[in-house]
Amino acid sequence: MPNITTTWVQQPQPITTGRYACLVHIYPSGNKLGQRYALGDYPVVIGRSDDNDIPIQDHAVSRKHARIDPTPDGVFVSDLVSTNGTFINDRQVNGTEVIHDGDYLRVGNNIYRFLAGGNVEAEYHEEIYRLTIVDGLTQIHNQRYLFDFLDRELVRSARHARPLAFVLFDIDRFKGINDTIGHLAGDYALRELAACVRDSVRREDLFARYGGDEFGIVLVETPPAEAREFAQRIRETVAKKVFRFEQHLLRVTVSIGVVCTAGDAVMTTKDIIQIADRRLSEAKHTGRNRVVGPDAVALSPERRLGGSRMPELVGTGPSFRRAM
């Protein structure tokens, strides 16, 4: 074998970014949900002005907010001394930082997913599907998935006469956070709350954002005593957590409604959500930061035989806050 006595100098090959990379709009929902912004060979500026490459009509966004620079060594994000900062995975960008495949870029109230893998087209379509079942802000499942999951579990509960519990809760005085500090603080509270609660949810259960500041948890194979204990644990965990947004210390508590079924009565997804919603409303009216339920649900004979009447509550509380 001949001896190799020379070293060839080669130019480094560009990594799979640049023209193959893109940003996907994942929050807030609306006509821009799922919109893809291709990243080519030139810098891309994001901001509120119409002359930006990605214009955003959002008062929390500066006129020239951030710049994205595709290079042979990766894609870099620079904050352009914006008022509210630029964030990658909820970590504020100081100066210029690299962004990696799958990272989340937050500019004002808007969140984008950065895709730069070997098959961006496939990743994009996978991300679009994910957006149909996952909430863009909190990264937990959304209302649509919650309904589907509840439908399946209620059928299974009735078929096998197994216990099932549903926990519905929302943030106390959440509107006050938005009104006094701003919607960025409200979004922060929702994200942090979801992250705080997620760790307490078992793999076989489901944690989802029901809408606005309301969240739901489906507890499979969970009898009433355990469901109430779980709800109390969630309430205490949230109350003890420190929520700090910029210089503001937020006091965040939750009110919770709990309902259980042993699978011995016909109950629909609409039924169980309405009962939990009524108990959540009762928790609000009786002082907030508390758990109401699970009490017994008295079903009429028609419902036990598969009729269509709604369940009648034992110990009814205030009226429903909304119609389903």
Side-chain angles (χ1 to χ4, degrees), residues 173-224:
R173 297 186 173 92
F174 179 70
K175 186 176 182 297
I177 296 176
N178 284 331
D179 291 347
T180 58
I181 305 176
H183 288 276
L184 287 178
D187 285 353
Y188 163 82
L190 292 171
R191 285 196 308 273
E192 288 297 302
L193 175 67
C196 171
V197 173
R198 186 189 293 117
D199 293 338
S200 300
V201 180
R202 302 175 304 184
R203 181 175 299 179
E204 63 268 29
D205 298 330
L206 178 75
F207 178 35
R209 186 180 180 190
Y210 180 62
D213 64 320
E214 289 184 300
F215 298 84
I217 303 175
V218 183
L219 304 172
V220 301
E221 299 281 340
T222 304

Side-chain angles (χ1 to χ4, degrees), residues 282-302:
E282 185 175 339
K284 293 286 190 188
H285 283 78
T286 53
R288 298 185 175 88
N289 189 22
R290 63 188 59 209
V291 175
V292 172
D295 301 320
V297 177
L299 294 181
S300 65
E302 297 95 291

Side-chain angles (χ1 to χ4, degrees), residues 10-298:
Q10 292 182 325
Q11 293 296 324
Q13 296 298 311
I15 62 175
T16 312
T17 53
R19 72 187 64 194
Y20 303 107
C22 67
L23 290 176
V24 181
H25 181 106
I26 67 171
Y27 182 84
S29 59
N31 57 2
K32 288 189 176 182
L33 184 67
Q35 185 167 338
R36 173 166 52 177
Y37 299 92
L39 303 177
D41 297 323
Y42 301 99
V44 172
V45 178
I46 304 174
R48 200 173 72 246
S49 299
D50 291 336
D51 60 349
N52 288 298
D53 301 290
I54 303 180
I56 304 176
Q57 297 305 312
D58 179 355
H59 290 296
V61 175
S62 299
R63 294 184 180 276
K64 300 290 182 182
H65 196 108
R67 187 181 67 245
I68 302 173
D69 293 288
T71 75
D73 299 318
V75 176
F76 292 85
V77 175
S78 302
D79 182 74
L80 302 180
V81 198
S82 64
T83 300
N84 292 307
T86 303
F87 297 80
I88 297 176
N89 299 332
D90 282 336
R91 187 187 70 255
Q92 187 164 4
V93 174
N94 295 312
T96 299
E97 295 187 20
V98 67
I99 187 169
H100 299 96
D101 181 34
D103 281 351
Y104 295 94
L105 175 68
R106 179 157 56 89
V107 177
N109 292 304
N110 299 263
I111 302 176
Y112 302 87
R113 185 88 183 271
F114 175 67
L115 302 179
N119 191 342
V120 170
E121 194 66 26
E123 287 188 43
Y124 172 71
H125 289 291
E126 182 179 337
E127 182 65 18
I128 293 302
Y129 168 72
R130 205 180 67 86
L131 288 176
T132 66
I133 63 173
V134 173
D135 176 61
L137 177 65
T138 60
Q139 292 302 301
I140 61 176
H141 282 103
N142 60 16
Q143 185 189 87
R144 171 184 173 179
Y145 193 85
L146 171 65
F147 287 176
D148 290 344
F149 189 88
L150 258 178
D151 284 343
R152 293 194 303 269
E153 290 303 319
L154 282 168
V155 169
R156 192 176 71 88
S157 171
R159 179 179 298 148
H160 303 290
R162 303 300 301 167
L164 179 71
F166 179 61
V167 176
L168 185 67
F169 64 92
D170 70 4
I171 299 177
D172 296 325
R173 297 186 173 92
F174 179 70
K175 186 176 182 297
I177 296 176
N178 284 331
D179 291 347
T180 58
I181 305 176
H183 288 276
L184 287 178
D187 285 353
Y188 163 82
L190 292 171
R191 285 196 308 273
E192 288 297 302
L193 175 67
C196 171
V197 173
R198 186 189 293 117
D199 293 338
S200 300
V201 180
R202 302 175 304 184
R203 181 175 299 179
E204 63 268 29
D205 298 330
L206 178 75
F207 178 35
R209 186 180 180 190
Y210 180 62
D213 64 320
E214 289 184 300
F215 298 84
I217 303 175
V218 183
L219 304 172
V220 301
E221 299 281 340
T222 304
E226 292 181 18
R228 182 173 180 83
E229 181 182 347
F230 172 85
Q232 288 286 12
R233 190 162 62 247
I234 292 297
R235 184 192 63 78
E236 292 170 1
T237 299
V238 174
K240 292 177 182 177
K241 179 175 172 57
V242 176
F243 289 79
R244 187 181 299 277
F245 177 75
E246 296 177 347
Q247 74 273 22
H248 303 281
L249 189 62
L250 310 180
R251 171 168 164 74
V252 177
T253 60
V254 293
S255 295
I256 305 177
V258 186
V259 60
C260 295
T261 175
D264 56 351
V266 177
M267 185 178 289
T268 68
T269 294
K270 181 178 178 180
D271 295 342
I272 201 168
I273 290 177
Q274 284 189 326
I275 298 169
D277 186 72
R278 188 167 217 163
R279 290 172 180 172
L280 168 56
S281 183
E282 185 175 339
K284 293 286 190 188
H285 283 78
T286 53
R288 298 185 175 88
N289 189 22
R290 63 188 59 209
V291 175
V292 172
D295 301 320
V297 177

